[in-house]
Amino acid sequence: MRILQLHCDSIEYTPTKKEIKSAEDIENPQTQRLEELVVVFVAIEDGDDSSVAQNAITQIKNSMEKIGCKKLLLYPYAHLSSNLAKPSTAMSLLKEMESGASELEVSHSPFGWTKSYKLQVKGHPLAESSKVVTKDSESKDTEITSDALKGESTIRSYWKILSPDGTLTNIGDFDFSNHKKLEILAKYESAKSRAVDQPPPHVALMKKLGIADYEPASDSGNMRFFPNGRLIKSLIERYVTDRVKEYGGYEVETPIMYDSEHPSMVSYFNRFPARQYNIDSEGKKLFLRFAACFGQFLMANHFQLSYKNLPYKLYELTRYSFRREQSGELVGLRRLRAFTMPDCHAFCKDIPQAVDEIKVRFDLSQSVLRELGIEESDYEMAIRFTEDFYNGNKSSIEELVKKHGRPVLVEMWKEKFFYFVLKWEFNFIDNLGKASALSTDQIDVENGDRYGIEFIDENNSAQHPIILHNSPSGAIERIIYALLEKAAKDSKEGRKAQLPLWLAPTQIRIIPLNEEFYDFCEKLTDRLSANNIRVDIDDRNGSIGKRIRDAEKEWIQYILVIGEKEANSENLSVRDRQTGNVKEISFDDFLTEINNQTKEKPFTGLNMPKHLSKRPQLMV
RNA sequence: GCCAAUGUAGCUCAGCCUGGUUAGAGCAACUGAUUUGUAAUCAGUAGGUCGUGGGUUCGGAUCCCGUCAUUGGCUCCA
């Protein structure tokens, strides 16, 4: 059966004459006019039966629910196929479809008549679609066909929930009452239903805190990072890189642009047409990388690898990777066209080694996020695999779910369509119920071959490695987005919004009561700075209240007001932003308190003038 | 990319529907006074081709069309 489905403002049709002998009898062949409806042109083909009709009407109803339309006109339309069913069969299947949609306002135009018609189709993207429905495309489970690739064949996904105890439940049967965020993720992924009418809070925060802003002179989705933002970003970058190196990744650097006509790129491209930035240069068709994969694969191609070297891990922090995402998809720091992505590939000798390795990287990813300030309760896990891979590796998959400790969303494919057989990711759920992937890992069974990467096995024969693709944190910009969204949530729920101390652009603000105490403040600043703390001095002429207020607006955790009392005391009077109280504490105890929050994290000095009087106001 | 909303001073916004003196306010900046004890000291000065291009009009921030950007929804997200 072939169907062409159009969401219309109106249709007007007039039966003119019977086209075939068996045409339907109708009482008055008058002009009919219908408004605000979905018109479905249907060609019923040889071999179609009742199940096809049921399947087709279900699909039509699903898509109508999506666009919120309740009126349906089935319009028999022979010209869609050259392999038509017999009119009698067609007629009965058409009626069956009509009765299968009885909850809608449904009708059909007369069968077997020549008709003139006029229709006005709506302009939205879902307004027009065509489908071919055949017997074997039916399915038992909840199913959503995702257009993984525009214009190419579709793959069918089965959405399920996998619990830590190993039970696999259809999404429709799962009780989400204790798993609200997972429900959001499941809906987001499978039903794509969202309703929000406000900008995400991090967009205002990234500007207010002088972190990042849009750059109108660039392309959309290419941000500029102010000194504060650069400092935060560079600390996160360093932290993630340190952790990956500790895990055993070797850091490399690869070009940001590649020749799309280079032999290794061609087959990859044909299979995965990406939305990339293209650059023509001296006859070469170059494109900007959208991931670190090819750079590392092309490099690994030149390594002489033995099975004894494996697993072997290459790592790059790409600043930037570029994806020309649809303009309507770009939002603040959540989705960008230029982003910084840590990407670690592990070359493994076989699936068992890959499966062992993926567990290590799973732990690494969980730990990296936690240390960056993103708790396990902030994200939900999704795991995607082929049915075959699941059946062969049930216990390992269940082990990953156990590590997460909560049910996870599963997308299962009947057959491998992408280059991987398994992929998992952690999805951060923000204040507005939007999901976006942070950490991820994949088991890639194709690119070893495609890029000609080889290792020599125990029997002296050349093999292609299985490749894991892991980003332990996801895009660095997205981590900042998640931290800001979390802070916004704290603020909304009455807590004080704050960045982790090790990421704070200013960790301590010193406020002299008046000029008399400047010297003392300078010396105190030097003492603190010598202990790797970012300290600045508000030497502006203003009231104490005003300067405290400004420090609060910058989310500065510790404020030291310096006056007569402090200048003559061994101890410090520290105002802690979380409590708003001033406490007296010895210099060493204060250092310990700070150190407890920043230990094992990278440090860099202030990225702004130490004196606020020397600092431009950033108003964005 | 599609549909919608928004775009006025460095920032946040008013004015627009119903066209009509020199386009307003608060914050920030600058100058001066003030020398301050834990979330906003006072006064003054300066700052705008109203996103951008075109049209209608005697006259456009205001009405119309195009375009760019941001945000929301859709689609997408290997």
Side-chain angles (χ1 to χ4, degrees):
Chain A
M1 180 181 298
R2 288 169 189 264
I3 55 187
L4 173 65
Q5 184 179 326
L6 303 171
H7 190 195
C8 301
D9 292 321
S10 66
I11 182 168
E12 210 172 281
Y13 65 88
T14 315
T16 50
K17 64 172 207 255
K18 281 191 181 182
E19 200 162 22
I20 52 173
K21 263 192 275 180
S22 53
E24 195 177 353
D25 288 323
I26 44 173
E27 284 161 19
N28 51 342
Q30 295 295 313
T31 297
Q32 300 286 323
R33 183 183 166 83
L34 295 165
E35 289 180 348
E36 285 301 317
L37 78 163
V38 166
V39 176
V40 176
F41 293 96
V42 195
I44 292 152
E45 298 179 287
D46 194 21
D48 287 350
D49 61 15
S50 177
S51 70
V52 174
Q54 292 298 339
N55 191 1
I57 196 68
T58 306
Q59 289 195 29
I60 292 166
K61 285 194 288 189
N62 283 345
S63 60
M64 285 179 67
E65 198 179 331
K66 242 180 171 174
I67 55 182
C69 181
K70 299 223 177 304
K71 199 186 290 180
L72 170 65
L73 174 69
L74 295 169
Y75 197 116
Y77 201 75
H79 318 287
L80 287 172
S81 171
S82 53
N83 181 28
L84 290 167
K86 281 189 292 199
S88 58
T89 318
M91 191 63 221
S92 74
L93 290 183
L94 190 68
K95 292 225 160 119
E96 189 170 341
M97 285 172 74
E98 190 171 347
S99 58
S102 50
E103 68 271 34
L104 300 171
E105 191 181 320
V106 59
S107 57
H108 74 271
S109 60
F111 184 86
W113 287 69
T114 306
K115 298 170 283 272
S116 68
Y117 66 95
K118 191 166 93 183
L119 80 171
Q120 174 76 36
V121 182
K122 290 183 183 290
H124 66 81
L126 285 180
E128 303 169 289
S129 69
S130 66
K131 293 189 185 83
V132 178
V133 187
T134 56
K135 266 190 204 172
D136 47 25
S137 72
E138 63 183 312
S139 66
K140 293 173 236 108
D141 296 304
T142 314
E143 117 174 6
I144 292 93
T145 44
S146 67
D147 262 328
L149 286 175
K150 241 183 3 203
E152 292 209 16
S153 62
T154 55
I155 45 163
R156 192 158 317 107
S157 298
Y158 299 85
W159 296 93
K160 294 171 185 290
I161 299 293
L162 181 55
S163 300
D165 63 9
T167 51
L168 200 55
T169 317
N170 282 336
I171 224 166
D173 302 333
F174 187 78
D175 177 10
F176 283 105
S177 49
N178 291 321
H179 306 280
K180 288 294 174 203
K181 281 188 175 176
L182 183 63
E183 185 175 21
I184 291 171
L185 177 65
K187 282 206 174 134
Y188 193 85
E189 286 289 332
S190 63
K192 308 277 187 194
S193 97
R194 297 158 245 176
V196 187
D197 53 359
Q198 46 184 322
H202 83 276
V203 174
L205 290 177
M206 77 185 186
K207 298 179 181 191
K208 256 187 213 148
L209 295 172
I211 291 174
D213 192 15
Y214 304 105
E215 173 51 76
S218 181
D219 189 25
S220 306
N222 287 256
M223 310 295 270
R224 54 181 172 207
F225 284 80
F226 300 115
N228 283 348
R230 183 60 219 141
L231 178 130
I232 291 168
K233 238 188 112 178
S234 101
L235 288 169
I236 297 174
E237 288 168 4
R238 277 175 56 191
Y239 181 73
V240 175
T241 300
D242 288 350
R243 290 297 304 272
V244 174
K245 288 181 72 177
E246 193 183 297
Y247 149 72
Y250 301 109
E251 191 178 9
V252 297
E253 185 171 321
T254 62
I256 69 164
M257 61 179 83
Y258 293 87
D259 184 347
S260 57
E261 285 164 354
H262 186 278
S264 340
M265 295 296 159
V266 173
S267 63
Y268 195 76
F269 255 51
N270 289 343
R271 181 117 195 225
F272 299 108
R275 291 199 175 104
Q276 71 271 350
Y277 283 103
N278 294 306
I279 299 172
D280 283 354
S281 172
E282 295 183 332
K284 277 189 180 177
K285 290 195 186 330
L286 301 172
F287 69 94
L288 296 180
R289 66 177 171 200
F290 39 91
C293 305
F294 2 95
Q296 293 180 24
F297 296 168
L298 292 164
M299 184 181 276
N301 197 339
H302 285 270
F303 287 11
Q304 185 164 305
L305 290 168
S306 146
Y307 72 95
K308 294 176 190 166
N309 308 142
L310 305 184
Y312 184 78
K313 303 139 199 169
L314 290 179
Y315 167 76
E316 181 169 9
L317 182 87
T318 65
R319 196 161 83 220
Y320 291 105
S321 286
F322 297 89
R323 290 185 196 177
R324 229 177 45 84
E325 305 287 9
Q326 296 184 101
S327 52
E329 270 308 305
L330 305 166
V331 201
L333 291 172
R334 186 204 298 147
R335 194 74 170 278
L336 296 168
R337 283 184 171 172
F339 52 93
T340 306
M341 184 65 100
D343 206 345
C344 178
H345 293 93
F347 302 92
C348 303
K349 64 178 178 156
D350 49 22
I351 290 282
Q353 189 175 62
V355 168
D356 283 345
E357 196 59 30
I358 208 168
K359 293 173 191 166
V360 179
R361 295 147 69 92
F362 189 94
D363 293 341
L364 172 70
S365 302
Q366 271 189 328
S367 159
V368 164
L369 286 187
R370 192 182 315 118
E371 292 298 316
L372 288 174
I374 296 164
E375 314 289 328
E376 272 147 62
S377 58
D378 293 326
Y379 55 81
E380 293 297 335
M381 176 174 162
I383 189 161
R384 300 150 205 268
F385 39 68
T386 60
E387 191 167 23
D388 285 351
F389 188 82
Y390 173 67
N391 289 330
N393 297 276
K394 266 189 191 170
S395 65
S396 290
I397 288 175
E398 283 165 21
E399 198 179 320
L400 294 182
V401 176
K402 278 204 188 79
K403 284 173 187 288
H404 180 60
R406 282 176 289 153
V408 310
L409 178 67
V410 169
E411 182 178 11
M412 188 156 76
W413 298 298
K414 284 280 178 208
E415 56 198 61
K416 177 167 70 75
F417 184 78
F418 302 116
Y419 55 74
F420 51 82
V421 291
L422 175 138
K423 174 188 181 181
W424 64 256
E425 83 244 349
F426 294 147
N427 293 279
F428 179 77
I429 313 288
D430 74 13
N431 293 307
L432 307 177
K434 301 263 193 177
S436 32
L438 297 172
S439 321
T440 176
D441 206 351
Q442 303 168 0
I443 302 180
D444 170 358
V445 296
E446 279 186 11
N447 284 310
D449 181 11
R450 175 169 296 122
Y451 282 81
I453 304 167
E454 288 183 348
F455 70 93
I456 304 301
D457 71 7
E458 294 90 329
N459 305 314
N460 197 28
S461 72
Q463 304 283 347
H464 299 300
I466 306 291
I467 305 173
L468 302 182
H469 299 232
N470 173 230
S471 183
S473 63
I476 304 297
E477 293 83 357
R478 200 169 266 186
I479 293 289
I480 298 176
Y481 143 78
L483 290 175
L484 291 178
E485 287 289 327
K486 269 174 68 80
K489 187 178 177 209
D490 284 345
S491 178
K492 201 174 89 186
E493 293 173 0
R495 297 182 295 272
K496 291 252 180 168
Q498 193 125 20
L499 289 172
L501 188 63
W502 69 282
L503 291 175
T506 294
Q507 294 170 317
I508 303 175
R509 164 79 35 95
I510 292 183
I511 304 179
L513 202 59
N514 60 44
E515 285 119 351
E516 225 180 288
F517 304 103
Y518 281 10
D519 276 353
F520 183 86
C521 288
E522 293 292 341
K523 285 188 189 114
L524 180 58
T525 305
D526 290 346
R527 270 176 87 196
L528 289 162
S529 302
N531 288 283
N532 281 356
I533 299 172
R534 289 184 288 275
V535 195
D536 56 26
I537 305 176
D538 192 346
D539 58 339
R540 295 172 305 171
N541 178 2
S543 69
I544 293 296
K546 176 65 188 303
R547 285 180 285 170
I548 298 270
R549 182 179 151 82
D550 285 350
E552 285 278 349
K553 288 202 298 192
E554 288 180 56
W555 295 4
I556 293 168
Q557 188 165 339
Y558 296 115
I559 301 173
L560 274 58
V561 175
I562 304 299
E564 195 73 36
K565 180 167 148 264
E566 290 75 16
N568 296 317
S569 164
E570 285 298 302
N571 290 338
L572 301 170
S573 294
V574 177
R575 184 185 198 277
D576 185 331
R577 179 162 181 272
Q578 280 307 325
T579 62
N581 297 329
V582 180
K583 64 182 169 191
E584 202 167 320
I585 186 172
S586 76
F587 188 85
D588 287 341
D589 286 350
F590 189 40
L591 283 190
T592 308
E593 182 177 328
I594 289 171
N595 189 250
N596 283 339
Q597 297 170 74
T598 58
K599 66 183 169 198
E600 290 168 23
K601 296 294 195 316
F603 171 80
T604 185
L606 277 180
N607 201 30
M608 295 271 248
K610 182 168 75 174
H611 299 96
L612 265 75
S613 64
K614 302 281 184 220
R615 201 177 279 187
Q617 284 290 318
L618 233 182
M619 300 302 291
V620 284

